[in-house]
Amino acid sequence: MLGVIRHKSIRPAFSAIRHLSSAAKEITVREALNSALDEEMSADPKVFLMGEEVGEYQGAYKISKGLLDKYGPERVLDTPITEAGFTGIGVGAAYYGLRPVVEFMTFNFSMQAIDHIINSAAKSNYMSAGQISVPIVFRGPNGAAAGVGAQHSQCYASWYGSCPGLKVLSPYSSEDARGLLKAAIRDPDPVVFLENELLYGESFPVSAEVLDSSFCLPIGKAKIEREGKDVTITAYSKMVGFALKAAETLAKEGISAEVINLRSIRPLDRSTINTSVRKTNRLVTVEEGFPQHGVGAEICTSVIEESFGYLDAPVERIAGADVPMPHAANLERMAVPQVEDIVRAAKRACYRSVPLAASA
């Protein structure tokens, strides 16, 4: 029987959350991910990376730059173009106590391996009554990039977020990327780690604490990126930046928006969301994925169930268009949320504009 008893990790799952008072420097999301991988591989010899072009080419997006030279081909494994094959190998390695980090060149390719992710990784701990742990991370770019068409532009947050047994994380900033990836690698359960290709080159200020090798963020805890009192805006990944830009525009018109960076899709930080809505009495959810059965729909339901009496306006839900992603640049822009969409939704929630029904 494949039985690996779950052991308590020696290293802490996350560091204590303290106020980050000063920014030490700026680093890109790419550098944050690379440093997190490097430090976790250095700290734990059971951690290894596998995927297409992660070694000799140093990663399709250079996330694994320098790791092959440092750790060798036994811990940085270039695989054939067969997601079903190397994902299955990774899950099997996790059954035996190793800690694989499986990179998908894009999460669209994870559909080739979804049986291993859902049926082999997510369910084994429950089906074995806790005897089999599956400490594995599935990571790579998720959602729309630019001009790559319908088959390479899907957001998988709600896909994987609906499956018990998985943890699903989606970082926005360099702090998110570094702290959440470390948490994912250290976690005893399978984690789906949804990055964004367009954020890899973005730079964000980070404190000395974030750069410390012990830094780690808690899974399941959202972050209030901007405090406000008139409307709550929830977002994840690239849409957090859009929400923050929308909040700046709204502030010029006298609307104070509170922006919540979800960070964790599953588990979802319902407490932070509902606490904010009970303060602002309004909610706008923002996501890049399809609207039906989306992350925003789950957030709306949570607020209706727990904070309905606090709402002063209908919930506004901003999502991608309910169509396969167009290839043409002008149509692609229309298919994903823009800053102006968030601004309009927040103004509707605050009764600063004509409602959609009235203008139809």
Side-chain angles (χ1 to χ4, degrees):
M1 177 180 178
L2 301 177
V4 178
I5 304 299
R6 186 183 301 220
H7 295 287
K8 291 184 178 179
S9 175
I10 296 176
R11 292 179 295 155
F14 59 88
S15 61
I17 304 175
R18 297 189 295 275
H19 179 67
L20 306 182
S21 57
S22 61
K25 60 182 292 190
E26 285 197 356
I27 62 172
T28 65
V29 171
R30 177 182 290 108
E31 291 168 334
L33 293 168
N34 176 268
S35 64
L37 280 168
D38 185 9
E39 290 171 11
E40 293 306 300
M41 292 179 73
S42 177
D44 187 347
K46 296 190 297 292
V47 178
F48 69 95
L49 175 67
M50 65 189 307
E52 297 158 3
E53 299 185 346
V54 299
E56 295 289 347
Y57 192 66
Q58 304 194 77
Y61 304 98
K62 301 299 180 274
I63 303 300
S64 53
K65 184 177 180 180
L67 299 183
L68 176 64
D69 290 340
K70 187 170 184 179
Y71 298 104
E74 290 189 353
R75 295 184 65 196
V76 182
L77 287 78
D78 279 320
T79 66
I81 304 174
T82 169
E83 283 79 11
F86 65 75
T87 303
I89 291 171
V91 173
Y95 282 175
Y96 278 91
L98 298 179
R99 292 183 174 271
V101 179
V102 174
E103 176 178 311
F104 296 118
M105 196 175 292
T106 161
F107 252 93
N108 299 276
F109 300 157
S110 75
M111 293 178 69
Q112 306 295 323
I114 200 165
D115 180 59
H116 291 302
I117 298 170
I118 301 297
N119 283 328
S120 300
K123 300 175 182 177
S124 291
N125 185 256
Y126 179 84
M127 294 178 70
S128 68
Q131 294 183 80
I132 302 176
S133 293
V134 192
I136 188 170
V137 177
F138 306 102
R139 53 156 296 271
N142 170 71
V148 293
Q151 295 171 321
H152 290 173
S153 300
Q154 296 172 115
C155 175
Y156 288 87
S158 64
W159 289 53
Y160 291 115
S162 68
C163 182
L166 290 178
K167 294 174 182 175
V168 182
L169 307 178
S170 188
Y172 160 61
S173 65
S174 299
E175 177 181 323
D176 292 354
R178 184 170 158 77
L180 290 175
L181 184 55
K182 282 174 162 285
I185 293 172
R186 298 177 190 183
D187 200 85
D189 297 310
V191 179
V192 171
F193 197 84
L194 303 173
E195 301 157 11
N196 186 283
E197 178 184 340
L198 299 180
L199 287 176
Y200 284 148
E202 292 287 322
S203 294
F204 294 87
V206 292
S207 68
E209 181 186 16
V210 173
L211 295 173
D212 190 273
S213 62
S214 65
F215 177 73
C216 195
L217 288 171
I219 292 175
K221 181 64 179 173
K223 178 186 179 184
I224 297 177
E225 296 281 355
R226 178 182 178 126
E227 293 189 354
K229 59 183 178 62
D230 295 326
V231 59
T232 297
I233 304 175
T234 64
Y236 61 92
S237 190
K238 190 176 70 169
M239 289 296 108
V240 177
F242 281 33
L244 289 169
K245 290 178 181 178
E248 292 177 7
T249 300
L250 291 165
K252 296 174 183 177
E253 302 188 36
I255 297 175
S256 172
E258 182 149 293
V259 177
I260 297 179
N261 172 7
L262 296 177
R263 283 182 168 172
S264 179
I265 306 302
R266 185 183 184 103
L268 187 65
D269 189 355
R270 301 170 194 273
S271 175
T272 294
I273 295 167
N274 279 278
T275 298
S276 177
V277 170
R278 292 180 184 190
K279 177 178 69 172
T280 67
N281 311 115
R282 295 170 176 85
L283 172 66
V284 177
T285 71
V286 187
E287 63 188 308
E288 206 173 46
F290 300 130
Q292 186 160 325
H293 310 304
V295 174
E298 179 65 25
I299 292 172
C300 291
T301 300
S302 174
V303 169
I304 293 298
E305 290 174 343
E306 300 180 38
S307 305
F308 179 75
Y310 292 84
L311 288 173
D312 287 344
V315 171
E316 295 279 349
R317 189 157 55 103
I318 304 298
D322 198 21
V323 297
M325 180 65 72
H327 181 268
N330 59 329
L331 297 179
E332 183 181 61
R333 188 181 190 280
M334 295 172 66
V336 294
Q338 303 297 327
V339 174
E340 53 265 31
D341 299 321
I342 305 170
V343 170
R344 283 194 294 266
K347 290 172 73 173
R348 285 195 300 268
C350 294
Y351 300 108
R352 296 291 188 88
S353 64
V354 179
L356 283 177
S359 62

